């Protein structure tokens, strides 16, 4: 969803933007009702192979794609030919089509499918059922759906909810529980958790541990803790960073925590299409500091080939603290299905 994420969405004490919350609340009721009705009326289709859903309950910013990549890696390690399937948000192609890194750009298939295709076969399809059947016919023995918790089209063998586990006094993953647009929730918390099989709490690499109060929110659901950590260190020397993700401020924090000499940082809307004038401004800003431009690997995928030579893409990865437990849950889901 291409928007500037309001920081006040994540303020569960409602100390900020009270008027905006009040004015947007009726739209939230409409959104929640429409989502619930769509899910209740659906008849999920079995595509003939097990489906593992990686979703979340909020509008972006939870870390679904790194978790999906790690789930795909664990399935490969178990000799299971798993393919990724995404809607291809931000791309012009409707699919079903397999992502080709040599031929497709983010404008074709979206940035997240390009990330998934770095490691595994990846498909995009507006019609998830058609995409699943096409992938299965092409040899997939399991499918990992990126961002599909609110999409009821396919029968799921395992539904994982990814939650941003970083909590602060002024930042709670679900805010006050309000549904979009008066808050970050795609649907009410209880409704979303009721369809989940387990929760993945994603923490920064340097966080002390999962917040006990947050863990209590999930009741009896199994919880797997994962760490989002650099796949490579930031380059040495001064850096000017920028990011167009749902929570760009977390990229700034992560770069500093990784030891980056960050002299400036620019936030952009989620899935931003970077304009040449924006990038020239950033390049001029970097020149003032004698700095290198750096962004997320996902944002880097949306740059033109020319700008990719001038910007460093900083990769991160999700690593489970108890990898064996996650692998066991995957095996159980695949066996039952």
């Amino acid at each position: 969803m291409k928007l500037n994420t309001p920081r006040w969405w994540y303020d569960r004490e409602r100390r900020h933007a009270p008027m905006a919350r009040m004015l947007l609340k009726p739209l939230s009721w409409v959104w929640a009702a429409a989502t619930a009705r769509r899910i209740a009326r659906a008849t999920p289709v079995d595509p003939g192979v097990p489906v593992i859903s990686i979703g979340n309950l909020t509008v972006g910013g939870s870390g679904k794609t790194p978790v999906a990549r790690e789930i795909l890696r664990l399935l490969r390690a178990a000799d299971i030919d798993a393919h990724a399937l995404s809607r291809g948000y931000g791309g012009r192609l409707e699919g079903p089509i397999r992502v080709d890194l040599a031929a497709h750009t983010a404008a074709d298939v979206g940035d997240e499918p390009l990330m998934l295709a770095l490691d595994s076969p990846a498909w995009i399809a507006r019609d998830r059922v058609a995409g699943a059947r096409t992938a299965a016919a092409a040899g997939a023995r399991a499918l990992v759906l990126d961002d599909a918790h609110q999409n009821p089209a396919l029968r799921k063998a395992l539904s994982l909810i990814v939650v941003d586990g970083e909590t602060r006094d002024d930042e709670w993953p679900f805010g006050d529980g309000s549904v979009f647009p008066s808050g970050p929730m795609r649907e009410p918390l209880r409704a979303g958790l009721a369809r989940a099989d387990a929760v993945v709490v994603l923490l920064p690499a340097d966080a002390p541990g999962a917040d006990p109060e947050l863990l209590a929110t999930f009741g009896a659901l199994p919880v797997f803790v994962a760490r989002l950590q650099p796949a490579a260190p930031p380059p040495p020397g001064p850096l000017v960073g920028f990011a167009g993700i749902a929570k760009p401020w977390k990229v700034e924090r992560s770069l500093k925590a990784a030891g980056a000499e960050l002299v400036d940082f620019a936030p952009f809307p989620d899935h931003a299409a970077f304009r040449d004038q924006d990038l020239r401004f950033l390049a001029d800003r970097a020149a003032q500091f004698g700095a290198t431009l750096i962004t997320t690997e996902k944002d880097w995928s949306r740059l033109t080939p020319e700008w990719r030579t001038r910007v460093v893409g900083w990769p991160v990865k999700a690593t489970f603290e108890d990898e064996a437990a996650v692998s066991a849950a995957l095996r159980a889901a695949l066996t039952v299905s």
Side-chain angles (χ1 to χ4, degrees):
M1 187 165 294
K2 195 173 294 186
L3 50 81
N4 283 302
T5 305
R7 292 292 292 270
W8 56 262
W9 268 1
Y10 300 97
D11 171 25
R12 63 173 171 170
E13 302 300 330
R14 308 185 188 185
R15 291 170 293 192
H16 304 291
M19 184 60 69
R21 293 176 191 271
M22 182 180 68
L23 292 175
L24 294 172
K25 186 63 73 173
L27 294 176
S28 298
W29 297 332
V30 172
W31 179 286
T35 300
R37 184 165 53 249
R38 175 169 49 81
I39 293 171
R41 291 179 176 178
T43 302
V45 172
D46 182 355
V49 295
V51 173
I52 298 164
S53 171
I54 312 296
N56 71 355
L57 302 179
T58 57
V59 181
S62 65
K64 295 183 304 298
T65 303
V67 170
R69 289 179 72 179
E70 182 63 6
I71 293 295
L72 286 160
R73 187 192 69 80
L74 292 175
L75 291 169
R76 287 197 307 274
D79 292 325
I80 296 167
D81 187 6
H83 293 201
L85 176 61
S86 171
R87 187 170 73 88
Y89 178 83
R92 64 178 181 82
L93 299 179
E94 294 188 2
I97 188 170
R98 182 167 171 172
V99 178
D100 183 344
L101 292 173
H104 293 140
T105 67
D108 297 322
V109 297
D111 50 19
E112 289 160 349
L114 288 178
M115 301 292 298
L116 296 169
L118 290 171
D119 311 306
S120 304
W123 300 78
I124 62 108
R126 298 288 192 270
D127 183 334
R128 296 290 183 105
V129 174
R133 286 173 170 165
T134 302
R141 292 296 170 260
L143 292 172
V144 175
L145 303 189
D146 186 29
D147 195 11
H149 192 62
Q150 287 76 31
N151 188 313
L154 293 170
R155 186 171 71 84
K156 297 160 184 173
L158 183 67
S159 289
L160 299 177
I161 292 295
V162 183
V163 173
D164 175 6
E166 188 173 9
T167 58
R168 295 166 178 252
D169 290 340
D170 60 344
E171 196 172 311
W172 188 252
F174 310 118
D176 69 347
S178 293
V179 174
F180 177 87
S182 70
M185 303 298 292
R186 298 185 181 200
E187 59 180 319
L189 179 63
R190 183 175 298 179
L193 291 177
R195 299 193 315 280
D197 297 306
V199 175
V200 176
V201 173
L202 190 60
L203 295 171
D206 60 340
D211 186 332
E213 184 181 357
L214 177 63
L215 295 179
T217 304
F218 310 126
L221 280 174
V223 176
F224 304 119
V225 176
R227 299 278 177 171
L228 190 64
Q229 53 192 6
L239 299 171
V240 169
F242 65 97
I245 63 172
K247 297 178 182 178
W249 61 87
K250 289 187 176 292
V251 178
E252 183 177 9
R253 286 182 196 163
S254 296
L255 281 166
K256 290 178 178 178
E261 186 185 339
L262 199 63
V263 296
D264 201 3
F265 186 86
F268 286 84
D270 195 15
H271 296 285
F274 300 112
R275 300 175 301 174
D276 197 61
Q277 64 198 66
D278 296 327
L279 296 168
R280 286 199 306 269
F281 171 81
L282 290 170
D284 291 343
R285 184 71 172 156
Q288 294 175 18
F289 292 103
T292 300
L293 284 173
I294 189 169
T295 192
T296 69
E297 195 175 25
K298 182 171 143 181
D299 289 307
W300 187 87
S301 74
R302 296 197 304 278
L303 299 177
T304 64
E306 177 189 355
W307 278 105
R308 287 181 187 177
T309 65
R310 303 174 63 180
V311 178
V312 173
W314 189 49
V316 294
K317 62 181 180 179
T319 303
F320 287 104
E321 291 188 348
D322 190 347
E323 185 177 297
V326 178
S327 296
L330 293 173
R331 285 195 302 272
L334 299 182
T335 300
V336 170
S337 62

